Amino acid sequence: MHTMARLLVSLGAAVLLSLSVFGKTPDDNVVVSKALDEYVFIAGKDGAEVRHSRKREYTATRHSASVKPHIFYNDRIRLDKASGGKMQYRDVNSPAVFHDDSKVCFFSLYLKAKDKKGTAEFRRTFLDAAHFTGVFVEDEYPVEEGTITFRIPPSMPDIYLVEENFPEQGIERSNGMDGDGWRVITYTISNLGKMPDDDSAPSALSSRPYISVRGYFTDIEAFYRYHAPLLAVDTALTEMPVDIGGADRPEIIERIYSFVQKKIRYVAYEEGEAAFRPDTPAETMRKRYGDCKSMSLLLSTLLNRAGIEAYIAIVGTNSIPWRIADNLSLASADHMICVVPDSDGYLFLDPTHVQISSRHIPSWLSGKDALVVVDGGFRMIDIPDVSPEESADVAEYCYVLSDGMLAGRAKRAATEDFAERLASALDAVPVQHRSAFLAKNLVPATRADIPVDSVSLAADIPGKICIEAPIVNTSAVIALDDVVYLDLNTTGDPFSSRIDISDRREDYKLPVSGRVVRRISVEIPEQHTVILPENFETSGPSVNLSCMFSQDGNTVTMTKTMELAGGIIALGDIPEWNKALAEWTDACNRQIEIK
Amino acid sequence: MKNIIIAILTLLLCALAVRADKMSDYRAFADTVRADVFAEVPPGFDVKDIPAKYSGESAVVKAVYENINAKKKTGMGVGVGIVGLPSITRRARVEFGHLMRMLIHVNDKAALEKYSEFAFDTDDKRTFYKSYEKNRHTIGVRLIKPDGRIVDIDTSDFVEVEEGKKGDEKSRKLAVPGLEVGDDIDVFFFTETKLQNIHPDPVDFVLKAEAPILNYNIHCEIDDNLTTQYRTLNGAPDFTVGRDADNNYILDLELKDIAAKEPRLWYNSLQQSPRIMMRIFNRRNSESFTPKSAKKDGLQQNPDVNTMLEDRWDIDDAWLDKGAGYGLYYYGAFKDERKLTKALNKLAKDGTISQRQMADYIYNLLAYAYIGNRYSFDILDFAKAYKDFTKMFGVKMEAGLSSCDWHEPLDQLLNHKHNIYFMRLDGDTARYYFPPTGNPLIIAPGEISPHMQGREAVMWAKKKERKQSPLQFFTIPVTGTDANRNVTTLDVTVDNTMLGIRRSEAYRGSTKRSSSSLISLEDADKGYSSWLNRYGLNPVIKEKKKETADREERYADGRKEQVEAFKTEIESYHGSAPAEFIDGRITDIGIDPDQPDLCYDTEYRMDGYVKRAGANLLISVGKLLSEQIELLPTDRDRKDDLYIGNPREYLTVINLVVPDGYEVNAKSLEALKTSVKGKDASFDVEAEEGSGKITVTVVKQYLSPTVAIADWPEFAKVVDAANAWNSSVLAFERL
């Protein structure tokens, strides 16, 4: 799952600061006053290599500052030279990865006053040109002027460069050729802003200026052949740990899928070849943990043992803007899943997630493509962009109004991607706090009391999780002199927070798509007049919102719905998103009057 | 050339051989330790069943076994003789081993994640002139499956990690294979330490954890030629002490069923959890400081506190008696030091200001020098400078010693580094000048940090006087609610479905802790500079023009960071982010001893607090009180006294302008009023209408530094009342 993160680290694009406008902002202090990068493709002993040299001149523009010039390397990127200060060499695992071979070389450079400069120089070699997939143009500081040069020999005519997310100004490309027939492609940079670091923004590959290096794999066959030897591991397995007796095909698939999801821990291990080669299923069973490759291979092996056709498949998640077929590059794939032919289509099984059913296509895979490794070959298939099983988070509160309070039952059912989020959060909660955690996830507002020991949880059905409990809500009823108001709005609904735009320069990426529904019904005493607020519907970017009130006999119901389309909210559309949410909240906050 | 190549190759091969030897040596060490440790079954490690009362725990520690082994060794080395010639000299060495072994039952996925991955350095080495410290670490893991099967985790499952230019900094990682919910994990950590002219690190046995412990055993085997001191704290039981055939001291301790876990709220582990602090010295050490109390071999069980205090006095008698030799000029922080010194001397001599005023002034002058980022802060250095400066300007001060509440109380002192000096004016037992300890960093002269209130203390006396009569301990005063108060004033207007809020905060004493992070460097500089501009003095920090320009540019960064800090503060206050942030500024950094409030104003708009009810409005007035603590079921099941620290009061005044065209519903106004009073806490709300506005006054008080567990239910009622008030609603009816 984290191969892409690892590649990004390798390319020196990680852990950078905020802001994305092009050019330096008044707040910036340190700038890269000169940036020189050169990538030279050469024929190495074991194939094509890429030599990278980097020079940076840093300048403090307003006040003294410390900077840490650095460069990343690993088993396939050899560090050749580092100069400019006293170097330190450290491991830099991503927090989500148990272990990989990424390392950083850095030093401290103190710019002791305004206008002081300091320089750093690094050289490294990509020992396998396949891993040189692209270059982010931005730096962690704004770049005043710089060049990125690619030198490609005549012996590598297939290599070409594609610009992604380039701004209208600030980066210019020029193509040339030297006396030996080498192509020399130079990107000249002037006044380019710094690389932002914002978790809520779209992925860097989708949004930041990027030079995509393509052509290493001339066709999909070559791409497959690169991976094939690494995927050829012994799949012998002496045990069948899942009882499939008496189950039909769908049930067998669910049982085996569920076993790998719940009994094998996801642990990312990406050192050297292990970043691409799965553990054998026997080893994964012994360890009871594995990365996406190992878990997928175990899953497909177990399914095969049960007589079900299943394959491992290389995929790219939706943090990558391309499909594999559109960009034959290692940068296009960062994950592995298990694919099962089913009727006239396929099931796309991602065992690294605990609560997704076999029939659901997780949002991070929808619309992508998959290289399915079949016996002695491969097959490219498209992953549909609409899942047969919808993701939803539906909470229902059935109350009776009595003695100035609402009493009844609360039930929250989450499916697929929403169930996954809830299940993952639940797994991290120690068992002694679990009931309180579940109760908290049911409470629509403060002063709604849920007896903690009466909360029930059902998570046995794949793709579903359901919490249920009796509830007494004392804050929803406001009795004035001749009227009672019912406040049926729930608080703390997911994704209903405003996006702060005061200093924001990035688009916003919605983390999930699906429906969030809150249905609250109250049985009121007979012979009362009920005045319902007006219904409300609105749309914003990537969202439809509604709040509907109805009465059926003595039961009044409020249904608030948020339909999230997923995807990206453009920076300019965020005020509209905030406005739609604010209006929806106001509409949901309107009280039901009972006289 | 050929010879050179051969020589280089030979050297390279030698280096590789040495490296390989080191690796195989480490592996042999790790394998031996692992075999030895797992060959033993320490007490409690044969426990099969877990009491039913712990079935709902995420993890249960079936057994803990700690083993300390310390041996005195003597080495030889070459030193400088009396006439400058090389001579053989003695090196004081210690071989030290510390084993920590645990058997943990994993009951859920949270525990599985917690105990499934380990990382450790294999070895590290520090060397100095005649000293070194060499550590080798290893861990061992095995699983006990529910059917009793034992699965040894082989070292081949460990991942070797190399750092450093040549990969010579080694560490290891382990993702425990085969671990599943329901297993027991038997894990040990062992460190072998070889020391020369360095004393072993102190050891702290904490006899309570976040999971129940069924068996806790400690076994120590310590050479009688070393000095061992230990102190039992917070009700920890004492070791049983014996001697073995080699005269080593054998210390054993066995505890069973440590059920109570450390509570989430109002608990100070360092002051409440049973613990044993231990220090071991080789008094022959000529390079490291050896306290006076440790200069005799043997075991010192809960040693006399006056003896331990002498360790501190022994270090500090000289400056406490004669001064450290600091002067303003020496300090070099201010422009025109000589002029400033002269002016201060004049003030001191002509009696224009009192002794207390001078003490206050010098305190803030010194704090300005530090907090203005001119020096790296050190509390001992501050105390020395403060003593010297006050003496220089004729202020009669006496020095005393206490300890912060993250260390052992002074009357149970074990470690001479675990204390803090303070000053007080001769004969003035009401006012204490402690160095700022960091939380909050900025305090007014005479303000006592919450970490020092109620702590044991002694005043320093000359050695001769100490010999004549032991020092008298006393308690640093615990200030009351007046000195530890947060006053919040909100002026609130209704604008359609938004609330416009202007909020002023004034924090005093211990309530400052949560807000001091809002103070920017610019606020601090200006605050100190402004306050110090009195008595005809105007101290200015000495800096070059470039430094001034640098600082002013940093102010701009600080202002930007401060906006984010205010937004965070607002979100923390209300539990949700503002719809619009308008302004936030510090108005007083709180360093005036007569008015020590840290004050700031902030202005913003909140949505979601105004709800339409037909023609009427409902205002979530409870949200205008800061977010109150919500007790979880696990918080209610409490076994320990509550550590409040010191009394404090939170006063919130909400002025809500009645919206045009509406009147307040009297019933809903009346419903806001609340009063829950207990012995140790209270929560009161008054509400009234007048002059076109509703005024709600909320007072929450913590009245005692500690609350006995017997009084917890009553205390919890106050906490619940405050939490419940957060959802209060006020109704306005359309006229």
Side-chain angles (χ1 to χ4, degrees), chain A residues 322-369:
Chain A
W322 323 285
R323 289 150 53 97
I324 294 170
D326 299 335
N327 178 9
L328 295 172
S329 161
L330 296 183
S332 298
D334 62 350
H335 196 31
M336 194 170 278
I337 59 169
C338 172
V339 170
V340 178
D342 187 66
S343 308
D344 52 351
Y346 296 91
L347 303 176
F348 300 93
L349 311 183
D350 184 348
T352 62
H353 292 74
V354 295
Q355 198 66 27
I356 288 176
S357 77
S358 64
R359 311 210 71 77
H360 176 63
I361 299 170
S363 58
W364 52 92
L365 297 176
S366 64
K368 307 292 288 186
D369 58 356

Side-chain angles (χ1 to χ4, degrees), chain A residues 103-359:
Chain A
K103 289 181 166 52
V104 67
C105 168
F106 68 96
F107 67 99
S108 291
L109 179 61
Y110 183 59
L111 308 171
K112 67 178 183 181
K114 182 184 173 185
D115 297 330
K116 291 290 177 190
K117 295 180 189 301
T119 58
E121 190 174 346
F122 299 99
R123 286 212 299 264
R124 58 182 181 166
T125 302
F126 291 76
L127 301 170
D128 178 354
H131 289 272
F132 180 57
T133 54
V135 176
F136 283 103
V137 183
E138 294 163 321
D139 200 299
E140 66 180 306
Y141 299 106
V143 178
E144 286 189 336
E145 59 178 74
T147 57
I148 303 173
T149 304
F150 295 82
R151 297 185 184 279
I152 307 166
S155 59
M156 298 181 194
D158 296 323
I159 300 292
Y160 66 103
L161 309 177
V162 174
E163 293 84 34
E164 306 276 359
N165 317 312
F166 267 37
E168 288 179 9
Q169 54 190 14
I171 315 171
E172 297 293 333
R173 171 175 171 157
S174 67
N175 298 320
M177 194 167 284
D178 69 10
D180 297 324
W182 287 51
R183 282 181 288 153
V184 181
I185 302 162
T186 302
Y187 293 88
T188 305
I189 301 162
S190 58
N191 295 320
L192 191 64
K194 62 189 175 186
M195 179 78 108
D197 178 25
D198 179 352
D199 288 343
S200 66
S203 71
L205 279 176
S206 306
S207 59
R208 310 315 313 162
Y210 181 71
I211 302 164
S212 178
V213 178
R214 303 189 182 188
Y216 183 85
F217 300 109
T218 50
D219 54 29
I220 192 73
E221 180 77 29
F223 186 78
Y224 163 71
R225 278 202 309 274
Y226 185 89
H227 288 88
L230 298 165
L231 300 176
V233 299
D234 181 6
T235 56
L237 199 54
T238 54
E239 57 180 324
M240 178 60 184
V242 187
D243 177 13
I244 54 171
D248 59 10
R249 178 186 151 88
E251 180 60 23
I252 291 171
I253 293 170
E254 285 298 359
R255 282 190 198 178
I256 294 176
Y257 186 27
S258 181
F259 169 82
V260 182
Q261 286 174 308
K262 293 185 172 147
K263 298 293 182 187
I264 305 295
R265 280 186 299 126
Y266 172 66
V267 173
Y269 183 93
E270 300 182 349
E271 175 155 358
E273 209 173 68
F276 296 88
R277 183 190 292 283
D279 271 340
T280 65
E283 181 66 354
T284 308
M285 280 300 296
R286 182 188 76 82
K287 289 180 175 173
R288 287 291 195 272
Y289 66 76
D291 56 17
C292 61
K293 304 175 291 294
S294 307
M295 293 176 81
S296 297
L297 184 59
L298 172 65
L299 176 57
S300 64
T301 305
L302 290 174
L303 287 167
N304 292 161
R305 284 280 301 269
I308 291 168
E309 188 184 354
Y311 308 98
I312 52 171
I314 297 166
V315 296
T317 58
N318 62 1
S319 62
I320 300 173
W322 323 285
R323 289 150 53 97
I324 294 170
D326 299 335
N327 178 9
L328 295 172
S329 161
L330 296 183
S332 298
D334 62 350
H335 196 31
M336 194 170 278
I337 59 169
C338 172
V339 170
V340 178
D342 187 66
S343 308
D344 52 351
Y346 296 91
L347 303 176
F348 300 93
L349 311 183
D350 184 348
T352 62
H353 292 74
V354 295
Q355 198 66 27
I356 288 176
S357 77
S358 64
R359 311 210 71 77

Side-chain angles (χ1 to χ4, degrees), chain B residues 223-262:
Chain B
D223 197 324
D224 69 334
N225 288 314
L226 296 170
T227 310
T228 305
Q229 302 172 331
Y230 74 80
R231 172 86 64 208
T232 54
L233 292 163
N234 308 328
D238 203 346
F239 289 113
T240 56
V241 178
R243 306 287 282 266
D244 67 6
D246 297 326
N247 247 2
N248 294 314
Y249 285 99
I250 306 298
L251 280 59
D252 283 299
L253 181 65
E254 181 175 11
L255 289 169
K256 285 194 177 293
D257 199 6
I258 306 172
K261 297 179 289 179
E262 296 192 336

Side-chain angles (χ1 to χ4, degrees), chain A residues 26-75:
Chain A
D27 300 324
D28 291 323
N29 176 35
V30 175
V31 298
V32 175
S33 37
K34 277 183 193 153
L36 298 173
D37 283 276
E38 185 178 70
Y39 297 90
V40 182
F41 286 76
I42 56 163
K45 195 176 66 174
D46 299 318
E49 295 182 353
V50 178
R51 291 201 180 145
H52 174 207
S53 62
R54 162 173 291 182
K55 285 183 189 170
R56 290 281 184 275
E57 178 191 80
Y58 299 89
T59 304
T61 62
R62 295 191 292 113
H63 58 75
S64 58
S66 285
V67 293
K68 281 196 165 55
H70 59 269
I71 200 147
F72 294 94
Y73 62 105
N74 59 31
D75 286 357

